[in-house]
Amino acid sequence: MLPSAIRIARACLFGALLGLAAAAPTRAEPVRLDFEGRQLNGNLQLAGGAGIGQGVMLLVHGTLAHNRLEIMRDLQALLGERGISTLAVTLSLGLPDRSGMYDCALPHRHGNAQAVAEIAAWVGWAQRQGAAKIGLLGHSRGGAQVALYAARGGDALPAAVQRIVLAAPTTFDAARAPADYRARFGGDFDAVLKQAQAMAAAGRGGELMQQTDFMYCPKTSVAADTFLDYHSGDGRNDAPSQLAAIRRPVLVVLAGGDEVVRDLPQKLAAARKPAGLKVVTVDAADHFFQELFGEDLADAVAAFWQE
């Protein structure tokens, strides 16, 4: 973490930095992509004087969120100040033209494979625009899904994808899932899991389970396959488990005061690590790197991008 004196100085200079950024010839525009019958939405922000051909970092949000969430907006501004163009995307979660937070009143029919496919689609879009260098930055669950995309791509990952950044990525422990579910909802995880497994075994995985607690949504409706996917213990929901299969340089940024992904340091320490892994801890930062902790996150990302 930056010394407190430096942090205070940076706070005093924050307005001046914003003024310089405003004076630079920056460009921001909405981007739309048709994919599997759904319209996907993104926000492209080009750093002052740069074109997408000089490189772009694709930003992926966390659970049920969107590309204009505060951390996504802040990262686009902060990375732009550091000369990095960004494309913040909104995963469809199975819905056409999705924007804003996912409405818990809607049924959940989405999954990790869908997120990975959409990340790949956006990478393809950036390549078609001429981006010679592409970075992927995922926050929270977006971090786990970016890791899953990169791990599944392996050696076949597009050559233009040169940097992977996981900011406070989520973890998953199947043994701890019942206790976590009970703490959040007061419900019986094992009973719901057995119901979903029985439905999937009977070929009814696409059918909805009603009045079911899921993710951040109490008493929602969720497809059995969706519930099983996000509670799978095969590593797809656990970012540290994916690291060894990633064939690109990886930066993991931990939030020192994270109350959401508390076991990330322990999981990371125990995981098999690729040769290109770097780990940075932003001491005292919360899960969303709010306030000036976002500056520290952006500094770490910019240094990694420029290596």
Side-chain angles (χ1 to χ4, degrees), residues 148-192:
L148 186 61
Y149 161 80
R152 288 185 174 178
D155 293 326
L157 208 63
V161 176
Q162 298 179 24
R163 294 288 187 275
I164 305 295
V165 181
L166 313 179
T170 52
T171 61
F172 182 76
D173 186 336
R176 204 183 62 224
D180 289 346
Y181 193 82
R182 190 165 50 249
R184 174 170 291 176
F185 298 113
D188 186 343
F189 173 80
D190 290 331
V192 180

mmCIF file of all heavy atoms in Angstrom, residues 148-192:
data_model
loop_
_atom_site.group_PDB
_atom_site.id
_atom_site.type_symbol
_atom_site.label_atom_id
_atom_site.label_comp_id
_atom_site.label_asym_id
_atom_site.label_seq_id
_atom_site.Cartn_x
_atom_site.Cartn_y
_atom_site.Cartn_z
ATOM 1 N N LEU A 148 -11.479 -18.321 -15.758
ATOM 2 C CA LEU A 148 -12.013 -19.512 -16.409
ATOM 3 C C LEU A 148 -11.856 -19.414 -17.923
ATOM 4 O O LEU A 148 -11.466 -20.392 -18.581
ATOM 5 C CB LEU A 148 -13.480 -19.685 -16.026
ATOM 6 C CG LEU A 148 -14.175 -20.966 -16.492
ATOM 7 C CD1 LEU A 148 -13.499 -22.195 -15.913
ATOM 8 C CD2 LEU A 148 -15.657 -20.929 -16.099
ATOM 9 N N TYR A 149 -12.142 -18.234 -18.482
ATOM 10 C CA TYR A 149 -11.956 -18.029 -19.925
ATOM 11 C C TYR A 149 -10.504 -18.277 -20.312
ATOM 12 O O TYR A 149 -10.213 -18.986 -21.291
ATOM 13 C CB TYR A 149 -12.370 -16.605 -20.299
ATOM 14 C CG TYR A 149 -11.809 -16.142 -21.625
ATOM 15 C CD1 TYR A 149 -12.407 -16.521 -22.824
ATOM 16 C CD2 TYR A 149 -10.668 -15.342 -21.674
ATOM 17 C CE1 TYR A 149 -11.883 -16.110 -24.047
ATOM 18 C CE2 TYR A 149 -10.139 -14.928 -22.883
ATOM 19 C CZ TYR A 149 -10.743 -15.314 -24.066
ATOM 20 O OH TYR A 149 -10.208 -14.922 -25.266
ATOM 21 N N ALA A 150 -9.571 -17.672 -19.580
ATOM 22 C CA ALA A 150 -8.154 -17.794 -19.919
ATOM 23 C C ALA A 150 -7.657 -19.219 -19.728
ATOM 24 O O ALA A 150 -6.867 -19.734 -20.531
ATOM 25 C CB ALA A 150 -7.335 -16.827 -19.069
ATOM 26 N N ALA A 151 -8.125 -19.880 -18.664
ATOM 27 C CA ALA A 151 -7.682 -21.253 -18.398
ATOM 28 C C ALA A 151 -8.208 -22.212 -19.456
ATOM 29 O O ALA A 151 -7.480 -23.088 -19.945
ATOM 30 C CB ALA A 151 -8.139 -21.688 -17.009
ATOM 31 N N ARG A 152 -9.469 -22.070 -19.826
ATOM 32 C CA ARG A 152 -10.037 -22.954 -20.842
ATOM 33 C C ARG A 152 -9.425 -22.702 -22.209
ATOM 34 O O ARG A 152 -9.322 -23.620 -23.027
ATOM 35 C CB ARG A 152 -11.559 -22.785 -20.885
ATOM 36 C CG ARG A 152 -12.258 -23.383 -19.671
ATOM 37 C CD ARG A 152 -13.769 -23.325 -19.783
ATOM 38 N NE ARG A 152 -14.411 -24.036 -18.682
ATOM 39 C CZ ARG A 152 -15.723 -24.119 -18.502
ATOM 40 N NH1 ARG A 152 -16.539 -23.518 -19.354
ATOM 41 N NH2 ARG A 152 -16.216 -24.784 -17.478
ATOM 42 N N GLY A 153 -8.989 -21.466 -22.455
ATOM 43 C CA GLY A 153 -8.339 -21.163 -23.720
ATOM 44 C C GLY A 153 -6.972 -21.801 -23.832
ATOM 45 O O GLY A 153 -6.554 -22.215 -24.913
ATOM 46 N N GLY A 154 -6.267 -21.890 -22.704
ATOM 47 C CA GLY A 154 -4.947 -22.513 -22.694
ATOM 48 C C GLY A 154 -4.019 -21.939 -23.742
ATOM 49 O O GLY A 154 -3.935 -20.733 -23.945
ATOM 50 N N ASP A 155 -3.319 -22.818 -24.450
ATOM 51 C CA ASP A 155 -2.389 -22.389 -25.490
ATOM 52 C C ASP A 155 -3.103 -21.814 -26.709
ATOM 53 O O ASP A 155 -2.479 -21.155 -27.544
ATOM 54 C CB ASP A 155 -1.507 -23.566 -25.923
ATOM 55 C CG ASP A 155 -0.562 -24.013 -24.816
ATOM 56 O OD1 ASP A 155 -0.108 -23.150 -24.044
ATOM 57 O OD2 ASP A 155 -0.284 -25.223 -24.716
ATOM 58 N N ALA A 156 -4.418 -22.084 -26.842
ATOM 59 C CA ALA A 156 -5.176 -21.602 -27.994
ATOM 60 C C ALA A 156 -5.750 -20.207 -27.780
ATOM 61 O O ALA A 156 -6.443 -19.683 -28.652
ATOM 62 C CB ALA A 156 -6.307 -22.581 -28.315
ATOM 63 N N LEU A 157 -5.464 -19.595 -26.658
ATOM 64 C CA LEU A 157 -5.944 -18.245 -26.399
ATOM 65 C C LEU A 157 -5.402 -17.308 -27.490
ATOM 66 O O LEU A 157 -4.252 -17.446 -27.910
ATOM 67 C CB LEU A 157 -5.448 -17.783 -25.024
ATOM 68 C CG LEU A 157 -6.278 -16.758 -24.259
ATOM 69 C CD1 LEU A 157 -7.647 -17.319 -23.918
ATOM 70 C CD2 LEU A 157 -5.547 -16.348 -22.988
ATOM 71 N N PRO A 158 -6.225 -16.366 -27.992
ATOM 72 C CA PRO A 158 -5.725 -15.464 -29.038
ATOM 73 C C PRO A 158 -4.432 -14.781 -28.622
ATOM 74 O O PRO A 158 -4.277 -14.348 -27.473
ATOM 75 C CB PRO A 158 -6.864 -14.449 -29.190
ATOM 76 C CG PRO A 158 -8.090 -15.196 -28.783
ATOM 77 C CD PRO A 158 -7.653 -16.105 -27.679
ATOM 78 N N ALA A 159 -3.500 -14.670 -29.560
ATOM 79 C CA ALA A 159 -2.201 -14.078 -29.255
ATOM 80 C C ALA A 159 -2.332 -12.641 -28.783
ATOM 81 O O ALA A 159 -1.490 -12.149 -28.019
ATOM 82 C CB ALA A 159 -1.302 -14.152 -30.486
ATOM 83 N N ALA A 160 -3.378 -11.948 -29.238
ATOM 84 C CA ALA A 160 -3.557 -10.551 -28.837
ATOM 85 C C ALA A 160 -3.853 -10.416 -27.349
ATOM 86 O O ALA A 160 -3.606 -9.364 -26.756
ATOM 87 C CB ALA A 160 -4.689 -9.916 -29.650
ATOM 88 N N VAL A 161 -4.391 -11.461 -26.726
ATOM 89 C CA VAL A 161 -4.676 -11.420 -25.289
ATOM 90 C C VAL A 161 -3.359 -11.600 -24.548
ATOM 91 O O VAL A 161 -2.801 -12.695 -24.504
ATOM 92 C CB VAL A 161 -5.687 -12.507 -24.882
ATOM 93 C CG1 VAL A 161 -5.898 -12.496 -23.368
ATOM 94 C CG2 VAL A 161 -7.010 -12.294 -25.604
ATOM 95 N N GLN A 162 -2.854 -10.519 -23.961
ATOM 96 C CA GLN A 162 -1.501 -10.527 -23.404
ATOM 97 C C GLN A 162 -1.435 -10.325 -21.899
ATOM 98 O O GLN A 162 -0.385 -10.541 -21.289
ATOM 99 C CB GLN A 162 -0.664 -9.456 -24.100
ATOM 100 C CG GLN A 162 -0.505 -9.704 -25.589
ATOM 101 C CD GLN A 162 0.301 -8.619 -26.269
ATOM 102 O OE1 GLN A 162 1.108 -7.910 -25.641
ATOM 103 N NE2 GLN A 162 0.109 -8.464 -27.566
ATOM 104 N N ARG A 163 -2.523 -9.886 -21.276
ATOM 105 C CA ARG A 163 -2.509 -9.638 -19.837
ATOM 106 C C ARG A 163 -3.840 -10.074 -19.230
ATOM 107 O O ARG A 163 -4.905 -9.793 -19.782
ATOM 108 C CB ARG A 163 -2.294 -8.143 -19.517
ATOM 109 C CG ARG A 163 -0.921 -7.599 -19.920
ATOM 110 C CD ARG A 163 0.173 -8.123 -19.000
ATOM 111 N NE ARG A 163 1.451 -7.499 -19.274
ATOM 112 C CZ ARG A 163 2.308 -7.900 -20.197
ATOM 113 N NH1 ARG A 163 1.997 -8.941 -20.955
ATOM 114 N NH2 ARG A 163 3.463 -7.281 -20.373
ATOM 115 N N ILE A 164 -3.761 -10.726 -18.059
ATOM 116 C CA ILE A 164 -4.942 -11.139 -17.309
ATOM 117 C C ILE A 164 -4.846 -10.525 -15.921
ATOM 118 O O ILE A 164 -3.844 -10.727 -15.211
ATOM 119 C CB ILE A 164 -5.022 -12.677 -17.179
ATOM 120 C CG1 ILE A 164 -4.965 -13.359 -18.547
ATOM 121 C CG2 ILE A 164 -6.272 -13.079 -16.408
ATOM 122 C CD1 ILE A 164 -6.126 -13.076 -19.449
ATOM 123 N N VAL A 165 -5.868 -9.771 -15.519
ATOM 124 C CA VAL A 165 -5.899 -9.153 -14.194
ATOM 125 C C VAL A 165 -7.135 -9.631 -13.449
ATOM 126 O O VAL A 165 -8.258 -9.530 -13.956
ATOM 127 C CB VAL A 165 -5.927 -7.608 -14.288
ATOM 128 C CG1 VAL A 165 -5.936 -6.996 -12.879
ATOM 129 C CG2 VAL A 165 -4.737 -7.098 -15.092
ATOM 130 N N LEU A 166 -6.935 -10.137 -12.251
ATOM 131 C CA LEU A 166 -8.026 -10.609 -11.406
ATOM 132 C C LEU A 166 -8.052 -9.732 -10.155
ATOM 133 O O LEU A 166 -7.140 -9.794 -9.326
ATOM 134 C CB LEU A 166 -7.817 -12.078 -11.026
ATOM 135 C CG LEU A 166 -7.438 -13.031 -12.178
ATOM 136 C CD1 LEU A 166 -7.227 -14.449 -11.647
ATOM 137 C CD2 LEU A 166 -8.495 -13.011 -13.276
ATOM 138 N N ALA A 167 -9.065 -8.888 -10.042
ATOM 139 C CA ALA A 167 -9.179 -7.960 -8.914
ATOM 140 C C ALA A 167 -10.165 -8.520 -7.894
ATOM 141 O O ALA A 167 -11.357 -8.645 -8.187
ATOM 142 C CB ALA A 167 -9.634 -6.590 -9.396
ATOM 143 N N ALA A 168 -9.662 -8.882 -6.719
ATOM 144 C CA ALA A 168 -10.493 -9.484 -5.673
ATOM 145 C C ALA A 168 -11.394 -10.574 -6.244
ATOM 146 O O ALA A 168 -12.612 -10.556 -6.039
ATOM 147 C CB ALA A 168 -11.326 -8.410 -4.955
ATOM 148 N N PRO A 169 -10.828 -11.544 -6.975
ATOM 149 C CA PRO A 169 -11.660 -12.567 -7.615
ATOM 150 C C PRO A 169 -12.309 -13.484 -6.590
ATOM 151 O O PRO A 169 -11.756 -13.723 -5.506
ATOM 152 C CB PRO A 169 -10.661 -13.334 -8.483
ATOM 153 C CG PRO A 169 -9.366 -13.222 -7.736
ATOM 154 C CD PRO A 169 -9.387 -11.823 -7.167
ATOM 155 N N THR A 170 -13.466 -14.023 -6.945
ATOM 156 C CA THR A 170 -14.177 -14.885 -6.015
ATOM 157 C C THR A 170 -13.543 -16.271 -5.925
ATOM 158 O O THR A 170 -12.847 -16.728 -6.826
ATOM 159 C CB THR A 170 -15.652 -15.043 -6.418
ATOM 160 O OG1 THR A 170 -15.728 -15.445 -7.794
ATOM 161 C CG2 THR A 170 -16.418 -13.759 -6.206
ATOM 162 N N THR A 171 -13.816 -16.899 -4.807
ATOM 163 C CA THR A 171 -13.384 -18.271 -4.542
ATOM 164 C C THR A 171 -14.631 -19.107 -4.272
ATOM 165 O O THR A 171 -15.732 -18.582 -4.116
ATOM 166 C CB THR A 171 -12.456 -18.325 -3.321
ATOM 167 O OG1 THR A 171 -13.175 -17.847 -2.170
ATOM 168 C CG2 THR A 171 -11.220 -17.457 -3.530
ATOM 169 N N PHE A 172 -14.443 -20.418 -4.215
ATOM 170 C CA PHE A 172 -15.562 -21.296 -3.873
ATOM 171 C C PHE A 172 -15.028 -22.527 -3.170
ATOM 172 O O PHE A 172 -14.046 -23.133 -3.604
ATOM 173 C CB PHE A 172 -16.345 -21.719 -5.116
ATOM 174 C CG PHE A 172 -17.539 -22.595 -4.800
ATOM 175 C CD1 PHE A 172 -18.692 -22.043 -4.282
ATOM 176 C CD2 PHE A 172 -17.475 -23.969 -4.989
ATOM 177 C CE1 PHE A 172 -19.790 -22.838 -3.970
ATOM 178 C CE2 PHE A 172 -18.563 -24.779 -4.688
ATOM 179 C CZ PHE A 172 -19.724 -24.209 -4.179
ATOM 180 N N ASP A 173 -15.694 -22.892 -2.090
ATOM 181 C CA ASP A 173 -15.344 -24.086 -1.314
ATOM 182 C C ASP A 173 -16.624 -24.880 -1.103
ATOM 183 O O ASP A 173 -17.511 -24.453 -0.357
ATOM 184 C CB ASP A 173 -14.727 -23.675 0.026
ATOM 185 C CG ASP A 173 -14.195 -24.859 0.823
ATOM 186 O OD1 ASP A 173 -14.677 -25.991 0.602
ATOM 187 O OD2 ASP A 173 -13.304 -24.649 1.671
ATOM 188 N N ALA A 174 -16.736 -26.016 -1.782
ATOM 189 C CA ALA A 174 -17.964 -26.810 -1.710
ATOM 190 C C ALA A 174 -18.270 -27.251 -0.283
ATOM 191 O O ALA A 174 -19.444 -27.324 0.116
ATOM 192 C CB ALA A 174 -17.849 -28.033 -2.625
ATOM 193 N N ALA A 175 -17.228 -27.518 0.502
ATOM 194 C CA ALA A 175 -17.447 -27.974 1.876
ATOM 195 C C ALA A 175 -18.038 -26.869 2.747
ATOM 196 O O ALA A 175 -18.732 -27.145 3.731
ATOM 197 C CB ALA A 175 -16.135 -28.476 2.476
ATOM 198 N N ARG A 176 -17.744 -25.629 2.380
ATOM 199 C CA ARG A 176 -18.223 -24.496 3.180
ATOM 200 C C ARG A 176 -19.547 -23.950 2.674
ATOM 201 O O ARG A 176 -20.174 -23.104 3.320
ATOM 202 C CB ARG A 176 -17.160 -23.393 3.151
ATOM 203 C CG ARG A 176 -17.204 -22.441 4.342
ATOM 204 C CD ARG A 176 -16.179 -21.352 4.203
ATOM 205 N NE ARG A 176 -16.419 -20.531 3.022
ATOM 206 C CZ ARG A 176 -15.469 -20.135 2.183
ATOM 207 N NH1 ARG A 176 -14.227 -20.491 2.375
ATOM 208 N NH2 ARG A 176 -15.773 -19.381 1.127
ATOM 209 N N ALA A 177 -19.990 -24.407 1.501
ATOM 210 C CA ALA A 177 -21.189 -23.847 0.868
ATOM 211 C C ALA A 177 -22.440 -23.930 1.752
ATOM 212 O O ALA A 177 -23.203 -22.959 1.829
ATOM 213 C CB ALA A 177 -21.434 -24.519 -0.477
ATOM 214 N N PRO A 178 -22.715 -25.053 2.427
ATOM 215 C CA PRO A 178 -23.930 -25.104 3.265
ATOM 216 C C PRO A 178 -23.940 -24.048 4.361
ATOM 217 O O PRO A 178 -24.972 -23.416 4.603
ATOM 218 C CB PRO A 178 -23.891 -26.521 3.841
ATOM 219 C CG PRO A 178 -23.108 -27.320 2.853
ATOM 220 C CD PRO A 178 -22.042 -26.374 2.354
ATOM 221 N N ALA A 179 -22.785 -23.847 5.019
ATOM 222 C CA ALA A 179 -22.712 -22.853 6.093
ATOM 223 C C ALA A 179 -22.861 -21.440 5.546
ATOM 224 O O ALA A 179 -23.537 -20.593 6.144
ATOM 225 C CB ALA A 179 -21.395 -22.991 6.851
ATOM 226 N N ASP A 180 -22.238 -21.174 4.384
ATOM 227 C CA ASP A 180 -22.351 -19.845 3.773
ATOM 228 C C ASP A 180 -23.801 -19.558 3.379
ATOM 229 O O ASP A 180 -24.301 -18.449 3.568
ATOM 230 C CB ASP A 180 -21.448 -19.762 2.540
ATOM 231 C CG ASP A 180 -19.968 -19.735 2.888
ATOM 232 O OD1 ASP A 180 -19.639 -19.521 4.075
ATOM 233 O OD2 ASP A 180 -19.145 -19.932 1.975
ATOM 234 N N TYR A 181 -24.470 -20.557 2.830
ATOM 235 C CA TYR A 181 -25.862 -20.407 2.389
ATOM 236 C C TYR A 181 -26.776 -20.161 3.593
ATOM 237 O O TYR A 181 -27.655 -19.304 3.559
ATOM 238 C CB TYR A 181 -26.274 -21.692 1.667
ATOM 239 C CG TYR A 181 -27.551 -21.619 0.873
ATOM 240 C CD1 TYR A 181 -27.563 -21.096 -0.410
ATOM 241 C CD2 TYR A 181 -28.748 -22.120 1.389
ATOM 242 C CE1 TYR A 181 -28.724 -21.064 -1.169
ATOM 243 C CE2 TYR A 181 -29.918 -22.085 0.648
ATOM 244 C CZ TYR A 181 -29.897 -21.553 -0.641
ATOM 245 O OH TYR A 181 -31.060 -21.533 -1.377
ATOM 246 N N ARG A 182 -26.521 -20.889 4.652
ATOM 247 C CA ARG A 182 -27.319 -20.734 5.873
ATOM 248 C C ARG A 182 -27.104 -19.350 6.488
ATOM 249 O O ARG A 182 -28.049 -18.709 6.959
ATOM 250 C CB ARG A 182 -26.950 -21.826 6.870
ATOM 251 C CG ARG A 182 -27.866 -21.918 8.086
ATOM 252 C CD ARG A 182 -27.670 -23.235 8.821
ATOM 253 N NE ARG A 182 -26.278 -23.527 9.111
ATOM 254 C CZ ARG A 182 -25.580 -24.495 8.534
ATOM 255 N NH1 ARG A 182 -26.141 -25.271 7.605
ATOM 256 N NH2 ARG A 182 -24.315 -24.707 8.851
ATOM 257 N N ALA A 183 -25.856 -18.867 6.462
ATOM 258 C CA ALA A 183 -25.561 -17.546 7.031
ATOM 259 C C ALA A 183 -26.232 -16.435 6.228
ATOM 260 O O ALA A 183 -26.687 -15.437 6.792
ATOM 261 C CB ALA A 183 -24.052 -17.333 7.076
ATOM 262 N N ARG A 184 -26.307 -16.606 4.916
ATOM 263 C CA ARG A 184 -26.894 -15.566 4.073
ATOM 264 C C ARG A 184 -28.409 -15.603 4.071
ATOM 265 O O ARG A 184 -29.078 -14.580 4.158
ATOM 266 C CB ARG A 184 -26.375 -15.696 2.637
ATOM 267 C CG ARG A 184 -27.039 -14.728 1.650
ATOM 268 C CD ARG A 184 -26.330 -14.713 0.311
ATOM 269 N NE ARG A 184 -25.001 -14.100 0.441
ATOM 270 C CZ ARG A 184 -24.130 -14.020 -0.555
ATOM 271 N NH1 ARG A 184 -24.425 -14.529 -1.738
ATOM 272 N NH2 ARG A 184 -22.968 -13.431 -0.371
ATOM 273 N N PHE A 185 -28.962 -16.807 3.944
ATOM 274 C CA PHE A 185 -30.409 -16.929 3.756
ATOM 275 C C PHE A 185 -31.143 -17.633 4.896
ATOM 276 O O PHE A 185 -32.371 -17.557 4.973
ATOM 277 C CB PHE A 185 -30.706 -17.695 2.461
ATOM 278 C CG PHE A 185 -30.217 -17.030 1.212
ATOM 279 C CD1 PHE A 185 -29.189 -17.595 0.460
ATOM 280 C CD2 PHE A 185 -30.775 -15.841 0.768
ATOM 281 C CE1 PHE A 185 -28.746 -16.998 -0.705
ATOM 282 C CE2 PHE A 185 -30.332 -15.225 -0.400
ATOM 283 C CZ PHE A 185 -29.311 -15.806 -1.135
ATOM 284 N N GLY A 186 -30.407 -18.353 5.729
ATOM 285 C CA GLY A 186 -31.061 -19.147 6.763
ATOM 286 C C GLY A 186 -31.693 -20.408 6.222
ATOM 287 O O GLY A 186 -32.479 -21.065 6.911
ATOM 288 N N GLY A 187 -31.339 -20.774 4.983
ATOM 289 C CA GLY A 187 -31.957 -21.928 4.328
ATOM 290 C C GLY A 187 -31.101 -23.182 4.374
ATOM 291 O O GLY A 187 -29.957 -23.173 4.820
ATOM 292 N N ASP A 188 -31.688 -24.272 3.894
ATOM 293 C CA ASP A 188 -31.027 -25.575 3.866
ATOM 294 C C ASP A 188 -30.419 -25.789 2.483
ATOM 295 O O ASP A 188 -31.093 -26.200 1.548
ATOM 296 C CB ASP A 188 -32.047 -26.671 4.180
ATOM 297 C CG ASP A 188 -31.421 -28.056 4.320
ATOM 298 O OD1 ASP A 188 -30.270 -28.238 3.858
ATOM 299 O OD2 ASP A 188 -32.086 -28.954 4.867
ATOM 300 N N PHE A 189 -29.140 -25.537 2.357
ATOM 301 C CA PHE A 189 -28.461 -25.658 1.076
ATOM 302 C C PHE A 189 -28.529 -27.081 0.529
ATOM 303 O O PHE A 189 -28.778 -27.285 -0.665
ATOM 304 C CB PHE A 189 -26.997 -25.226 1.213
ATOM 305 C CG PHE A 189 -26.168 -25.464 -0.026
ATOM 306 C CD1 PHE A 189 -26.222 -24.578 -1.087
ATOM 307 C CD2 PHE A 189 -25.334 -26.571 -0.128
ATOM 308 C CE1 PHE A 189 -25.471 -24.783 -2.229
ATOM 309 C CE2 PHE A 189 -24.582 -26.787 -1.262
ATOM 310 C CZ PHE A 189 -24.644 -25.888 -2.316
ATOM 311 N N ASP A 190 -28.287 -28.055 1.383
ATOM 312 C CA ASP A 190 -28.251 -29.441 0.920
ATOM 313 C C ASP A 190 -29.582 -29.868 0.316
ATOM 314 O O ASP A 190 -29.609 -30.606 -0.681
ATOM 315 C CB ASP A 190 -27.861 -30.374 2.066
ATOM 316 C CG ASP A 190 -26.399 -30.214 2.469
ATOM 317 O OD1 ASP A 190 -25.586 -29.857 1.591
ATOM 318 O OD2 ASP A 190 -26.077 -30.422 3.654
ATOM 319 N N ALA A 191 -30.682 -29.405 0.888
ATOM 320 C CA ALA A 191 -31.991 -29.772 0.358
ATOM 321 C C ALA A 191 -32.193 -29.173 -1.032
ATOM 322 O O ALA A 191 -32.708 -29.838 -1.950
ATOM 323 C CB ALA A 191 -33.092 -29.300 1.298
ATOM 324 N N VAL A 192 -31.788 -27.922 -1.210
ATOM 325 C CA VAL A 192 -31.924 -27.276 -2.514
ATOM 326 C C VAL A 192 -30.999 -27.948 -3.535
ATOM 327 O O VAL A 192 -31.384 -28.190 -4.686
ATOM 328 C CB VAL A 192 -31.614 -25.769 -2.425
ATOM 329 C CG1 VAL A 192 -31.759 -25.104 -3.793
ATOM 330 C CG2 VAL A 192 -32.527 -25.094 -1.412
#
